[in-house]
Amino acid sequence: METLTPTRLGRFGDYGGRYVPETLMAALEELEAAYEQAKADPIFRAELDALLRDYAGRPTPLYFAQRLSERLGGAKIYLKREDLLHTGAHKINNCLGQGLLAQRMGKQRIIAETGAGQHGVATATICALLGMECVVYMGEEDMRRQELNVYRMRLLGAEVRGVSSGSKTLKDAINEAMRDWVTNVRTTHYLLGSVLGAHPYPTMVRDFHRITGEEIRRQIVEKEGRLPSAVIACVGGGSNAMGAFFDFVRDPQVKLIGVEAGGRSTALGEHAARFSGGSPGVLQGTFSYVLQDEHGQVSLTHSVSAGLDYASVGPEHAAMHDSGRATYTSATDQQALDATVMLARTEGIVPALESAHAVAEAIRLAPTSLSEDIFVVNVSGRGDKDMGILSRELHLDGAAQEQVR
Amino acid sequence: MPIRFAHHPGLVAYLTVGDPDVATTRAIAVAAIDAGADVLELGVPFSDPLADGPVIERASHRAVANGTTLNHVLALASDLRAARPQTGLVIFSYLNPILRYGLERFTNDAKAAGVDGVLATDLTIEEAEGHYLNAMLAANLAPIFLVAPTSTDDRLRRIAAVSQGFVYAISRVGITGTRQTLASDARSLVERLRRFTQLPIVLGFGVSNAAHVAALGEFADAAAIGSAIVGLIEKTAPKEAPAAVAQFIEGLRPVPAAPTTR
């Protein structure tokens, strides 16, 4: 597999770039310029910081999960509680940033894609807050399995448009959002929800989330007097992971571990583990690892968690994978469900099914780790939205409840 | 065979290869050429055609589902080149199938098949400069790009400078698909682009009937017809599709076509 000559425009090593219909180029250039200007503007920063603090609830706690750590033996496990943020996941960080940016650009209409619905809810929330029109594209399969978030978005005043093509999940929602954007580009800002898509999105979205890692550094030094041995985060598109990892990229003693969706099996179509099952390609604006067949057709994916159920991954993760700076592993549907139960019953915390993949990796690693090791697990969201799936998968309807261990 | 337009306005016909099957696409292609299409765009089906409207998206998904690949498109090109030596043949694809095939392998095989040019829908000029353009030029294939009403003059200049064959102007902001009227965006885009290129300017997206073709003939060199043809194929029985498409194309030029001087 060859790569195109890097132009350095929004490139992470060979990955990234801008692969979009020409119609969108002017909008991407406008967005990039507006973002660069906003980034350098202390007023923008102050406005965003105030909202992150007073509205979203930052900083989030770094919590020592003592009972979980004792149960597993080995490393001390800390949980970064992004699940405690307003709207229930890290996604609000980026939505506040891009919302304010759209306002500065004079765009009154916001569109977004969503998988698990957390990004859709966060987008609908900031649109209500800022008084903007909001349309969210969501695969019909995801609408079915995350229906509570559909109701939340509608309650917040957003229009949720179901997408029935392909696997009816995140990838198909992004295609529809891109089509909307191509058509309405002059009036509309596309509030992309992960470190995906064409430049400047992967960089900008990472920047809006890097506060997570900055807080982890400050908090762990305060509590332990040193940096963690590892930071562990789930990776769908990869926004919560980039946010947690970025501040530690230059600290080689801190292992960065991304956890993908291992799904039901390692067969193509049964998982969303891009680094073990994919190869470099172009999908939806960026050059990165893609689950695809030998002819370049993008594969269907599967994960119990809608937010990880995607055929590609953020290009900066692809670069960190190839350079070895981060390692990428996967947890199966079953491991994620087991991790959800264990965290719920040792700590009284129900993680989102996405975040449960990161918890599963900590559970796997801890027993063979050293007692002086410190793991930080980014609990990127909470599991309230998953109660329907959890009820079915874990038989929480009463009769079989005792079987759950 | 260099791309040339024997009529004014010229006609560029887009087909999603493999919809409903490759043999039918071949029969439709020959019929379209014989009915007066100057250039054929052979669309490579892709799983995620995000610049396309529902008609071409459905066709693309049908063709992917029946196993049509870039290999089939190249084989069809070779076959058409032998059958109709005078017609311009352009491969119209999203980038990923080309990358997966291997860029140099693709340009070499496309040239060997008699292809004249390549248009990659999601390849911007920034990403094309370098490896892609070098491979295209080394194989003597025309790099064809899209320009849009939102393209700045700087971008038009930069795109025109490396284009060959023709420049494909998108008539309006949006995805592919038919529209009742041509957008007012179209004329001003063509006029802006004309300052930067001597190449033929082909106008597409939303062009679907003889009135559109006649109207754009006042300022552009040719019309590209996609969704209207693909939609006709969708609703016609496969064995009747070649005749239906031929009749449709003939109907796009209600008056006897004047020989072009361009």
Side-chain angles (χ1 to χ4, degrees):
Chain A
M1 180 67 216
E2 59 206 312
T3 59
L4 297 178
T5 307
T7 59
R8 314 320 309 167
L9 184 77
R11 290 279 172 176
F12 309 96
D14 285 342
Y15 301 103
R18 265 181 184 159
Y19 298 90
V20 292
E22 171 65 18
T23 308
L24 292 180
M25 281 304 294
L28 289 170
E29 288 175 345
E30 179 193 7
L31 177 61
E32 183 182 16
Y35 174 57
E36 290 302 323
Q37 198 184 44
K39 209 165 55 167
D41 182 351
I43 296 170
F44 178 82
R45 194 65 241 181
E47 220 179 335
L48 180 56
D49 286 347
L51 283 171
L52 287 169
R53 183 184 65 237
D54 302 331
Y55 185 73
R58 302 213 73 95
T60 58
L62 184 70
Y63 166 73
F64 174 43
Q66 188 172 354
R67 291 196 70 225
L68 178 67
S69 302
E70 284 170 359
R71 166 77 79 92
L72 296 168
K76 292 176 85 170
I77 300 174
Y78 279 85
L79 306 178
K80 179 59 174 168
R81 299 294 309 276
E82 296 289 286
D83 58 313
L84 294 178
L85 283 168
H86 181 44
T87 70
H90 70 290
K91 296 291 189 188
I92 191 81
N93 301 325
N94 170 51
C95 288
L96 285 169
Q98 285 196 47
L100 291 179
L101 193 57
Q103 210 173 38
R104 286 169 74 101
M105 291 164 66
K107 308 247 171 163
Q108 270 301 309
R109 181 173 181 268
I110 300 289
I111 59 170
E113 82 298 336
T114 197
Q118 291 303 106
H119 175 59
V121 167
T123 303
T125 298
I126 66 98
C127 286
L129 176 70
L130 301 175
M132 296 193 283
E133 183 188 347
C134 182
V135 174
V136 179
Y137 290 91
M138 189 171 190
E140 287 181 350
E141 165 66 12
D142 290 339
M143 287 179 73
R144 188 187 59 73
R145 58 180 166 170
Q146 307 274 233
E147 65 176 346
L148 290 179
N149 276 341
V150 175
Y151 304 148
R152 288 170 80 192
M153 286 184 269
R154 287 178 180 153
L155 176 63
L156 290 159
E159 180 190 345
V160 182
R161 293 188 185 166
V163 179
S164 61
S165 58
S167 54
K168 307 177 172 57
T169 59
L170 181 58
K171 172 170 76 72
D172 313 289
I174 295 177
N175 284 338
E176 270 322 297
M178 297 276 284
R179 290 183 181 116
D180 182 317
W181 200 31
V182 168
T183 306
N184 301 299
V185 61
R186 286 166 170 151
T187 59
T188 297
H189 174 65
Y190 180 15
L191 208 167
L192 186 59
S194 194
V195 287
L196 295 168
H199 178 67
Y201 283 104
T203 302
M204 179 176 70
V205 176
R206 176 203 70 205
D207 287 351
F208 286 137
H209 284 302
R210 58 186 289 187
I211 190 166
T212 307
E214 291 165 359
E215 287 177 8
I216 292 172
R217 174 185 294 270
R218 198 171 65 239
Q219 291 165 322
I220 200 72
V221 167
E222 208 170 89
K223 289 172 195 293
E224 294 284 347
R226 65 185 181 90
L227 296 183
S229 324
V231 178
I232 305 171
C234 67
V235 181
S239 63
N240 91 81
M242 275 317 306
F245 291 174
F246 192 66
D247 208 52
F248 297 103
V249 166
R250 289 188 187 79
D251 300 295
Q253 71 274 31
V254 180
K255 280 190 201 158
L256 305 175
I257 302 172
V259 188
E260 300 183 282
R264 287 185 290 247
S265 83
T266 56
L268 197 61
E270 294 292 302
H271 64 85
R274 290 68 46 104
F275 290 117
S276 57
S279 53
V282 167
L283 179 65
Q284 295 175 333
T286 193
F287 181 61
S288 185
Y289 279 75
V290 178
L291 287 167
Q292 56 182 319
D293 71 12
E294 66 195 292
H295 302 293
Q297 304 297 348
V298 179
S299 307
L300 299 184
T301 52
H302 164 79
S303 170
V304 69
S305 80
L308 304 186
D309 198 351
Y310 181 62
S312 186
V313 61
E316 195 164 11
H317 284 293
M320 292 206 301
H321 169 270
D322 284 12
S323 73
R325 180 60 194 93
T327 54
Y328 294 85
T329 176
S330 64
T332 64
D333 287 354
Q334 191 57 51
Q335 287 167 329
L337 289 163
D338 291 347
T340 302
V341 174
M342 183 178 280
L343 190 63
R345 298 197 176 178
T346 54
E347 298 291 347
I349 294 170
V350 179
L353 276 170
E354 291 75 20
S355 319
H357 286 70
V359 177
E361 179 65 10
I363 290 171
R364 194 181 70 81
L365 290 175
T368 55
S369 64
L370 305 171
S371 59
E372 57 266 34
D373 283 342
I374 298 169
F375 294 169
V376 173
V377 178
N378 197 27
V379 182
S380 55
R382 58 178 177 246
D384 308 36
K385 69 184 176 62
D386 296 318
M387 278 307 139
I389 299 169
L390 292 170
S391 163
R392 277 192 303 281
E393 296 288 336
L394 302 173
H395 310 292
L396 302 178
D397 52 352
Q401 203 264 341
E402 280 310 302
Q403 292 169 7
V404 177
R405 298 294 305 165
Chain B
M1 184 69 218
I3 292 164
R4 52 185 287 276
F5 295 96
H7 312 88
H8 181 86
L11 288 179
V12 176
Y14 170 93
L15 299 172
T16 299
V17 176
D19 176 46
D21 55 70
V22 177
T24 304
T25 304
R26 184 196 185 280
I28 295 169
V30 170
I33 293 166
D34 293 348
D38 300 285
V39 172
L40 272 190
E41 288 176 341
L42 300 176
V44 180
F46 184 50
S47 52
D48 293 87
L50 57 77
D52 285 299
V55 171
I56 292 177
E57 183 190 19
R58 287 197 300 270
S60 198
H61 285 163
R62 285 191 295 267
V64 169
N66 71 29
T68 306
T69 68
L70 183 51
N71 305 60
H72 296 105
V73 178
L74 291 169
L76 175 64
S78 177
D79 191 5
L80 290 173
R81 174 50 70 232
R84 295 293 183 273
Q86 302 302 312
T87 303
L89 292 177
V90 173
I91 300 245
F92 199 101
S93 184
Y94 288 84
L95 187 59
N96 200 54
I98 293 174
L99 289 183
R100 187 69 180 176
Y101 192 93
L103 185 55
E104 269 89 12
R105 182 178 161 230
F106 166 74
T107 52
N108 290 336
D109 290 358
K111 190 62 196 174
V115 168
D116 301 299
V118 178
L119 194 163
T121 320
D122 52 352
L123 183 67
T124 55
I125 187 71
E126 285 82 357
E127 302 298 351
E129 284 173 345
H131 196 166
Y132 176 87
L133 277 177
N134 292 342
M136 293 288 294
L137 299 181
N140 198 22
L141 289 167
I144 299 166
F145 291 92
L146 299 170
V147 297
T150 51
S151 303
T152 58
D153 282 359
D154 277 351
R155 297 192 62 77
L156 295 184
R157 183 186 294 112
R158 194 169 168 187
I159 291 166
V162 299
S163 291
Q164 294 182 19
F166 61 87
V167 182
Y168 190 129
I170 298 173
S171 69
R172 60 182 154 75
V173 172
I175 53 180
T176 61
T178 60
R179 289 294 184 282
Q180 290 302 309
T181 56
L182 276 183
S184 56
D185 281 344
R187 183 188 286 264
S188 63
L189 171 60
V190 172
E191 284 169 358
R192 284 198 297 134
L193 178 60
R194 198 71 86 182
R195 306 210 310 268
F196 305 114
T197 186
Q198 305 293 315
L199 291 171
I201 297 174
V202 174
L203 195 71
F205 282 40
V207 180
S208 60
N209 59 41
H212 292 165
V213 173
L216 71 82
E218 291 173 17
F219 55 91
D221 300 297
I225 324 278
S227 295
I229 294 174
V230 174
L232 180 61
I233 294 167
E234 181 177 50
K235 65 180 190 195
T236 307
K239 64 177 173 17
E240 289 157 21
V245 171
Q247 188 185 10
F248 174 77
I249 288 176
E250 281 159 7
L252 292 172
R253 287 205 188 93
V255 290
T260 184
T261 51
R262 187 178 289 277

